[in-house]
Amino acid sequence: MFAYERAIRFEDVDAARIVFFPRFFGYCHEAMEALFGGIEGGYVGMINDRHIGLPTVHVSSDFKSPLRYGDVARIEVRVSKIGKSSCRFSYAVYREKDGVLAATVEQTSVLTDLGFENAPKENTIRPIAIPDDIRALLTKHLVV
Amino acid sequence: MFAYERAIRFEDVDAARIVFFPRFFGYCHEAMEALFGGIEGGYVGMINDRHIGLPTVHVSSDFKSPLRYGDVARIEVRVSKIGKSSCRFSYAVYREKDGVLAATVEQTSVLTDLGFENAPKENTIRPIAIPDDIRALLTKHLVV
Amino acid sequence: MFAYERAIRFEDVDAARIVFFPRFFGYCHEAMEALFGGIEGGYVGMINDRHIGLPTVHVSSDFKSPLRYGDVARIEVRVSKIGKSSCRFSYAVYREKDGVLAATVEQTSVLTDLGFENAPKENTIRPIAIPDDIRALLTKHLVV
Amino acid sequence: MFAYERAIRFEDVDAARIVFFPRFFGYCHEAMEALFGGIEGGYVGMINDRHIGLPTVHVSSDFKSPLRYGDVARIEVRVSKIGKSSCRFSYAVYREKDGVLAATVEQTSVLTDLGFENAPKENTIRPIAIPDDIRALLTKHLVV
């Protein structure tokens, strides 16, 4: 398990005065990027130097309690499945001050050759086998 | 069925040069708001004047093909379930130029008293029965 | 002069319930991109195919009246200066329903070789002379 | 002077692969909110409990060098003017790894009664005199 905290920001709420639900996925993505701090170069190095990415192919989420400006989100990340090219992250988003569960997110991502040169012309992503260092990192956070 | 189109914007892509997946939910929300143009005052009137909202309690999505800057998203919205206080929207997001399916989204939302005055202190949302005009609108787009 | 309208969106407001001021610059950018619809391929073609961009080097803005969810912004764009590589856009953002002036924005941008291959290593932008078709478009909207 | 650091995020870049310039103002706003950690309740307490805000009435910015995914922004905040109801913040945004100056921002803000109940009907903001605790905080960071 990996934990990450971040404050709800001034511009994260919507006209209903609660966090706009798509932003929860951004929070989870931040937590996932932070988890990749466990490999050389981190998520930035994967994208910028190794030109591999981790696009999401499936996401499923339950929203239990709203978050508001002034709250801090505590995001717990677990790896719940590791395949040849894909993996599944399971997130629980808590309100830090009282531990209320705000949301759960299941996300399946596929390790992908970003193929920047050709990217604008392609319709599909190209899965690649998960490299050893990334597999080791994911395995370290695997909870089944 | 209700259709809505919007261009992928300059700032919608991420460092992997494809639309950052949480933005798909924003596109769907835009389409849903546009669908509510079918009632007096629209979604804006619901939020600002009637103080009722439609927070999301569950969302499930499959991402099939990436969208990029320069693409136009065509979002088809169907209402796939109507309950006492809740409803389910089913979205299909297509790339407009060639009809490629980019994503599908299932979203369950609950009609809610936004209770603005007390909002900052509450942990939960307060479901209310779907009013007649909103029920009529949802029923008009119901596809089962 | 070129005019562009867009609704303030549900997620554009902040915890103070008015449009978060940085979003005004996004609205102006949208209007500027729409203005470039006047050349073959538009702004998308400039970025994706010609690999030239128009990064902002200076911006100055006065905010006169807040915009809120439910408002529609009407953005008027004028070109107020054209140089060898740079140009200045002058925007006036009005609330569409009553014509109240919400903001004015002066923006100086420089036509730039995006040099995608080398981009991650460079600190500076590389100005290039404004091509004829873009100069003609800017001149068409020039108001001095 | 007050300093604040934050990583450029995966979704902060645009189709030209550099930070979308309006996001710089968001970074500065984050830094300014962090500076308000120096009063009881912080910026959150001002907004949520005291119902006072600090809307921006003028902003002027020079962009010197692009930031990219993988960079960390170091934002230095100075208060450069304090009036009866308004104040001016001067920001310098540096790329943390090499100290390159990315942008400077001058921002004039006005202390305002957010008047939440009436907010949706009003066109103007209502300036109020800067309270003592906030004046003391601003004075602490004043650099003339």
Side-chain angles (χ1 to χ4, degrees), chain D residues 20-56:
Chain D
F20 186 54
F21 83 87
R23 302 207 208 279
F24 277 87
F25 300 107
Y27 302 163
C28 290
H29 200 275
E30 282 183 44
M32 185 268 284
E33 290 183 67
L35 179 151
F36 275 86
I39 58 165
E40 176 77 26
Y43 202 80
V44 168
M46 277 177 52
I47 298 288
N48 284 353
D49 302 327
R50 298 165 74 175
H51 297 170
I52 54 181
L54 210 45
T56 301

Side-chain angles (χ1 to χ4, degrees), chain B residues 64-119:
Chain B
K64 312 277 194 181
S65 183
L67 292 180
R68 295 187 169 86
Y69 179 55
D71 289 335
V72 171
R74 173 186 165 84
I75 300 125
E76 295 187 357
V77 193
R78 291 167 180 81
V79 176
S80 50
K81 197 172 177 183
I82 308 175
K84 188 171 176 298
S85 303
S86 70
C87 61
R88 192 173 63 207
F89 298 98
S90 298
Y91 305 88
V93 183
Y94 297 94
R95 188 166 55 192
E96 189 276 341
K97 71 176 172 194
D98 56 12
V100 165
L101 180 64
T104 59
V105 175
E106 298 283 313
Q107 175 188 36
T108 304
S109 299
V110 176
L111 209 76
T112 303
D113 175 0
L114 290 177
F116 278 168
E117 336 63 46
N118 306 311

Side-chain angles (χ1 to χ4, degrees), chain C residues 59 65 68 95 122-123, chain D residues 59 61 65 68 95 122-123:
Chain C
V59 76
S65 183
R68 294 186 170 86
R95 190 167 52 193
E122 304 219 350
N123 288 349
Chain D
V59 76
S61 184
S65 183
R68 295 186 168 86
R95 189 167 54 194
E122 305 219 350
N123 289 348

Side-chain angles (χ1 to χ4, degrees), chain A residues 59 65 68 95 122-123, chain B residues 59 61 65 68 95 122-123:
Chain A
V59 75
S65 183
R68 294 185 169 87
R95 189 166 54 195
E122 305 219 350
N123 289 350
Chain B
V59 76
S61 184
S65 183
R68 295 187 169 86
R95 188 166 55 192
E122 304 219 350
N123 289 348

Side-chain angles (χ1 to χ4, degrees), chain B residues 115-135:
Chain B
F116 278 168
E117 336 63 46
N118 306 311
K121 273 113 197 152
E122 304 219 350
N123 289 348
T124 52
I125 58 174
R126 286 172 290 181
I128 57 174
I130 298 174
D132 288 349
D133 63 332
I134 296 176
R135 183 172 297 276

